[in-house]
mmCIF file of all heavy atoms in Angstrom:
data_model
loop_
_atom_site.group_PDB
_atom_site.id
_atom_site.type_symbol
_atom_site.label_atom_id
_atom_site.label_comp_id
_atom_site.label_asym_id
_atom_site.label_seq_id
_atom_site.Cartn_x
_atom_site.Cartn_y
_atom_site.Cartn_z
ATOM 1 N N GLU A 240 7.068 -36.543 7.144
ATOM 2 C CA GLU A 240 7.285 -36.523 5.668
ATOM 3 C C GLU A 240 5.974 -36.109 5.014
ATOM 4 O O GLU A 240 4.881 -36.341 5.426
ATOM 5 C CB GLU A 240 7.666 -37.976 5.203
ATOM 6 C CG GLU A 240 9.019 -38.419 5.777
ATOM 7 C CD GLU A 240 10.162 -37.608 5.152
ATOM 8 O OE1 GLU A 240 10.034 -37.100 3.978
ATOM 9 O OE2 GLU A 240 11.178 -37.510 5.898
ATOM 10 N N PRO A 241 6.130 -35.544 3.777
ATOM 11 C CA PRO A 241 4.920 -35.214 2.958
ATOM 12 C C PRO A 241 4.216 -36.469 2.493
ATOM 13 O O PRO A 241 4.883 -37.524 2.251
ATOM 14 C CB PRO A 241 5.522 -34.469 1.717
ATOM 15 C CG PRO A 241 6.922 -33.981 2.228
ATOM 16 C CD PRO A 241 7.386 -35.017 3.186
ATOM 17 N N GLN A 242 2.936 -36.458 2.491
ATOM 18 C CA GLN A 242 2.147 -37.588 2.047
ATOM 19 C C GLN A 242 1.342 -37.154 0.782
ATOM 20 O O GLN A 242 0.262 -36.590 0.879
ATOM 21 C CB GLN A 242 1.122 -37.977 3.103
ATOM 22 C CG GLN A 242 1.842 -38.364 4.478
ATOM 23 C CD GLN A 242 2.814 -39.582 4.343
ATOM 24 O OE1 GLN A 242 2.441 -40.574 3.674
ATOM 25 N NE2 GLN A 242 3.942 -39.467 4.969
ATOM 26 N N ARG A 243 1.913 -37.443 -0.394
ATOM 27 C CA ARG A 243 1.411 -36.997 -1.672
ATOM 28 C C ARG A 243 -0.048 -37.391 -1.916
ATOM 29 O O ARG A 243 -0.902 -36.682 -2.459
ATOM 30 C CB ARG A 243 2.267 -37.360 -2.797
ATOM 31 C CG ARG A 243 3.574 -36.722 -2.852
ATOM 32 C CD ARG A 243 4.318 -37.266 -4.096
ATOM 33 N NE ARG A 243 3.584 -37.063 -5.286
ATOM 34 C CZ ARG A 243 3.908 -37.616 -6.499
ATOM 35 N NH1 ARG A 243 4.909 -38.318 -6.506
ATOM 36 N NH2 ARG A 243 3.178 -37.375 -7.564
ATOM 37 N N TYR A 244 -0.415 -38.644 -1.469
ATOM 38 C CA TYR A 244 -1.724 -39.216 -1.725
ATOM 39 C C TYR A 244 -2.652 -39.008 -0.536
ATOM 40 O O TYR A 244 -3.744 -39.722 -0.470
ATOM 41 C CB TYR A 244 -1.536 -40.642 -2.112
ATOM 42 C CG TYR A 244 -0.661 -40.729 -3.381
ATOM 43 C CD1 TYR A 244 0.614 -41.311 -3.135
ATOM 44 C CD2 TYR A 244 -1.017 -40.356 -4.608
ATOM 45 C CE1 TYR A 244 1.474 -41.401 -4.309
ATOM 46 C CE2 TYR A 244 -0.164 -40.419 -5.688
ATOM 47 C CZ TYR A 244 1.114 -40.978 -5.516
ATOM 48 O OH TYR A 244 1.934 -41.117 -6.588
ATOM 49 N N GLY A 245 -2.280 -38.214 0.404
ATOM 50 C CA GLY A 245 -3.260 -38.026 1.582
ATOM 51 C C GLY A 245 -3.104 -39.138 2.538
ATOM 52 O O GLY A 245 -2.297 -40.110 2.431
ATOM 53 N N VAL A 246 -3.945 -38.942 3.652
ATOM 54 C CA VAL A 246 -3.899 -39.923 4.705
ATOM 55 C C VAL A 246 -5.360 -40.207 5.094
ATOM 56 O O VAL A 246 -6.275 -39.453 4.835
ATOM 57 C CB VAL A 246 -3.114 -39.431 5.956
ATOM 58 C CG1 VAL A 246 -1.594 -39.337 5.642
ATOM 59 C CG2 VAL A 246 -3.652 -38.129 6.409
ATOM 60 N N SER A 247 -5.545 -41.339 5.930
ATOM 61 C CA SER A 247 -6.834 -41.561 6.525
ATOM 62 C C SER A 247 -7.049 -40.763 7.688
ATOM 63 O O SER A 247 -6.086 -40.106 8.141
ATOM 64 C CB SER A 247 -6.866 -43.115 6.829
ATOM 65 O OG SER A 247 -5.960 -43.309 7.835
ATOM 66 N N PRO A 248 -8.256 -40.735 8.275
ATOM 67 C CA PRO A 248 -8.401 -40.005 9.495
ATOM 68 C C PRO A 248 -7.466 -40.432 10.651
ATOM 69 O O PRO A 248 -6.942 -39.556 11.273
ATOM 70 C CB PRO A 248 -9.900 -40.326 9.868
ATOM 71 C CG PRO A 248 -10.556 -40.496 8.540
ATOM 72 C CD PRO A 248 -9.569 -41.221 7.713
ATOM 73 N N ARG A 249 -7.288 -41.694 10.681
ATOM 74 C CA ARG A 249 -6.344 -42.190 11.735
ATOM 75 C C ARG A 249 -4.921 -41.806 11.354
ATOM 76 O O ARG A 249 -4.119 -41.399 12.225
ATOM 77 C CB ARG A 249 -6.447 -43.711 11.923
ATOM 78 C CG ARG A 249 -5.548 -44.242 13.086
ATOM 79 C CD ARG A 249 -5.876 -43.636 14.315
ATOM 80 N NE ARG A 249 -5.166 -44.335 15.436
ATOM 81 C CZ ARG A 249 -5.275 -43.993 16.710
ATOM 82 N NH1 ARG A 249 -6.046 -42.909 17.045
ATOM 83 N NH2 ARG A 249 -4.571 -44.522 17.675
ATOM 84 N N GLY A 250 -4.566 -41.908 10.054
ATOM 85 C CA GLY A 250 -3.219 -41.438 9.628
ATOM 86 C C GLY A 250 -3.031 -39.940 9.851
ATOM 87 O O GLY A 250 -1.894 -39.543 10.210
ATOM 88 N N ALA A 251 -4.071 -39.159 9.730
ATOM 89 C CA ALA A 251 -3.899 -37.732 10.023
ATOM 90 C C ALA A 251 -3.586 -37.537 11.536
ATOM 91 O O ALA A 251 -2.792 -36.655 11.911
ATOM 92 C CB ALA A 251 -5.216 -37.047 9.682
ATOM 93 N N GLU A 252 -4.261 -38.309 12.431
ATOM 94 C CA GLU A 252 -3.987 -38.090 13.809
ATOM 95 C C GLU A 252 -2.477 -38.485 14.130
ATOM 96 O O GLU A 252 -1.809 -37.769 14.905
ATOM 97 C CB GLU A 252 -4.896 -38.999 14.647
ATOM 98 C CG GLU A 252 -6.380 -38.633 14.555
ATOM 99 C CD GLU A 252 -7.286 -39.642 15.174
ATOM 100 O OE1 GLU A 252 -6.760 -40.581 15.758
ATOM 101 O OE2 GLU A 252 -8.504 -39.397 15.050
ATOM 102 N N LEU A 253 -1.973 -39.554 13.450
ATOM 103 C CA LEU A 253 -0.613 -40.006 13.761
ATOM 104 C C LEU A 253 0.356 -38.927 13.156
ATOM 105 O O LEU A 253 1.413 -38.619 13.680
ATOM 106 C CB LEU A 253 -0.397 -41.386 13.063
ATOM 107 C CG LEU A 253 -1.169 -42.488 13.716
ATOM 108 C CD1 LEU A 253 -1.096 -43.801 12.851
ATOM 109 C CD2 LEU A 253 -0.701 -42.782 15.156
ATOM 110 N N TRP A 254 0.000 -38.397 11.931
ATOM 111 C CA TRP A 254 0.819 -37.356 11.305
ATOM 112 C C TRP A 254 0.891 -36.109 12.178
ATOM 113 O O TRP A 254 1.982 -35.567 12.349
ATOM 114 C CB TRP A 254 0.269 -37.082 9.924
ATOM 115 C CG TRP A 254 1.146 -36.277 9.051
ATOM 116 C CD1 TRP A 254 2.075 -36.778 8.162
ATOM 117 C CD2 TRP A 254 1.223 -34.806 8.962
ATOM 118 N NE1 TRP A 254 2.736 -35.655 7.463
ATOM 119 C CE2 TRP A 254 2.217 -34.499 8.126
ATOM 120 C CE3 TRP A 254 0.577 -33.828 9.649
ATOM 121 C CZ2 TRP A 254 2.484 -33.122 7.760
ATOM 122 C CZ3 TRP A 254 0.881 -32.460 9.421
ATOM 123 C CH2 TRP A 254 1.875 -32.171 8.438
ATOM 124 N N VAL A 255 -0.252 -35.712 12.708
ATOM 125 C CA VAL A 255 -0.232 -34.462 13.584
ATOM 126 C C VAL A 255 0.617 -34.750 14.839
ATOM 127 O O VAL A 255 1.250 -33.935 15.384
ATOM 128 C CB VAL A 255 -1.656 -34.081 13.920
ATOM 129 C CG1 VAL A 255 -1.716 -32.978 15.008
ATOM 130 C CG2 VAL A 255 -2.379 -33.534 12.595
ATOM 131 N N THR A 256 0.456 -36.073 15.388
ATOM 132 C CA THR A 256 1.256 -36.367 16.607
ATOM 133 C C THR A 256 2.743 -36.222 16.252
ATOM 134 O O THR A 256 3.498 -35.663 17.021
ATOM 135 C CB THR A 256 0.987 -37.775 17.052
ATOM 136 O OG1 THR A 256 -0.432 -37.971 17.314
ATOM 137 C CG2 THR A 256 1.778 -38.182 18.207
ATOM 138 N N ASP A 257 3.162 -36.735 15.146
ATOM 139 C CA ASP A 257 4.661 -36.650 14.737
ATOM 140 C C ASP A 257 4.999 -35.110 14.583
ATOM 141 O O ASP A 257 6.044 -34.632 15.022
ATOM 142 C CB ASP A 257 4.860 -37.340 13.377
ATOM 143 C CG ASP A 257 4.849 -38.818 13.572
ATOM 144 O OD1 ASP A 257 4.939 -39.268 14.699
ATOM 145 O OD2 ASP A 257 4.750 -39.564 12.531
ATOM 146 N N ALA A 258 4.034 -34.312 14.033
ATOM 147 C CA ALA A 258 4.290 -32.872 13.799
ATOM 148 C C ALA A 258 4.503 -32.220 15.215
ATOM 149 O O ALA A 258 5.384 -31.406 15.423
ATOM 150 C CB ALA A 258 3.184 -32.186 13.080
ATOM 151 N N LEU A 259 3.532 -32.506 16.192
ATOM 152 C CA LEU A 259 3.689 -31.930 17.512
ATOM 153 C C LEU A 259 5.010 -32.380 18.200
ATOM 154 O O LEU A 259 5.570 -31.526 18.903
ATOM 155 C CB LEU A 259 2.499 -32.397 18.287
ATOM 156 C CG LEU A 259 1.131 -31.729 17.933
ATOM 157 C CD1 LEU A 259 0.004 -32.459 18.643
ATOM 158 C CD2 LEU A 259 1.151 -30.228 18.227
ATOM 159 N N ARG A 260 5.432 -33.606 18.006
ATOM 160 C CA ARG A 260 6.647 -34.064 18.619
ATOM 161 C C ARG A 260 7.807 -33.249 18.046
ATOM 162 O O ARG A 260 8.775 -32.889 18.726
ATOM 163 C CB ARG A 260 6.863 -35.539 18.425
ATOM 164 C CG ARG A 260 5.896 -36.397 19.225
ATOM 165 C CD ARG A 260 5.998 -37.826 18.791
ATOM 166 N NE ARG A 260 5.132 -38.674 19.605
ATOM 167 C CZ ARG A 260 4.979 -40.028 19.239
ATOM 168 N NH1 ARG A 260 5.478 -40.537 18.239
ATOM 169 N NH2 ARG A 260 4.117 -40.705 20.098
ATOM 170 N N TRP A 261 7.782 -33.093 16.689
ATOM 171 C CA TRP A 261 8.854 -32.362 15.985
ATOM 172 C C TRP A 261 8.891 -30.868 16.490
ATOM 173 O O TRP A 261 9.924 -30.241 16.698
ATOM 174 C CB TRP A 261 8.712 -32.415 14.530
ATOM 175 C CG TRP A 261 9.892 -31.789 13.755
ATOM 176 C CD1 TRP A 261 11.065 -32.341 13.545
ATOM 177 C CD2 TRP A 261 9.869 -30.504 13.250
ATOM 178 N NE1 TRP A 261 11.937 -31.542 12.832
ATOM 179 C CE2 TRP A 261 11.177 -30.372 12.640
ATOM 180 C CE3 TRP A 261 9.031 -29.482 13.178
ATOM 181 C CZ2 TRP A 261 11.581 -29.225 12.020
ATOM 182 C CZ3 TRP A 261 9.414 -28.326 12.545
ATOM 183 C CH2 TRP A 261 10.697 -28.183 12.003
ATOM 184 N N ILE A 262 7.672 -30.298 16.641
ATOM 185 C CA ILE A 262 7.580 -28.944 17.079
ATOM 186 C C ILE A 262 8.204 -28.701 18.425
ATOM 187 O O ILE A 262 8.843 -27.673 18.720
ATOM 188 C CB ILE A 262 6.117 -28.507 17.087
ATOM 189 C CG1 ILE A 262 5.585 -28.268 15.686
ATOM 190 C CG2 ILE A 262 5.957 -27.187 17.934
ATOM 191 C CD1 ILE A 262 4.054 -28.005 15.639
ATOM 192 N N GLY A 263 8.064 -29.748 19.332
ATOM 193 C CA GLY A 263 8.643 -29.578 20.640
ATOM 194 C C GLY A 263 7.887 -30.270 21.733
ATOM 195 O O GLY A 263 8.314 -30.349 22.882
ATOM 196 N N LEU A 264 6.591 -30.772 21.441
ATOM 197 C CA LEU A 264 5.811 -31.525 22.468
ATOM 198 C C LEU A 264 6.263 -32.981 22.366
ATOM 199 O O LEU A 264 5.547 -33.742 21.803
ATOM 200 C CB LEU A 264 4.316 -31.250 22.228
ATOM 201 C CG LEU A 264 3.820 -29.856 22.422
ATOM 202 C CD1 LEU A 264 2.356 -29.805 22.083
ATOM 203 C CD2 LEU A 264 4.070 -29.325 23.777
ATOM 204 N N HIS A 265 7.366 -33.280 22.965
ATOM 205 C CA HIS A 265 8.007 -34.634 22.764
ATOM 206 C C HIS A 265 7.082 -35.711 23.316
ATOM 207 O O HIS A 265 7.297 -36.900 22.938
ATOM 208 C CB HIS A 265 9.376 -34.625 23.338
ATOM 209 C CG HIS A 265 10.328 -33.616 22.727
ATOM 210 N ND1 HIS A 265 11.424 -33.165 23.337
ATOM 211 C CD2 HIS A 265 10.303 -33.066 21.501
ATOM 212 C CE1 HIS A 265 12.054 -32.329 22.528
ATOM 213 N NE2 HIS A 265 11.358 -32.190 21.380
#
Side-chain angles (χ1 to χ4, degrees):
E240 296 291 332
Q242 305 296 320
R243 290 181 55 192
Y244 303 107
V246 292
S247 65
R249 185 60 174 176
E252 295 171 4
L253 296 171
W254 190 92
V255 169
T256 300
D257 288 342
L259 289 169
R260 290 172 178 171
W261 185 82
I262 287 172
L264 296 178
H265 299 157

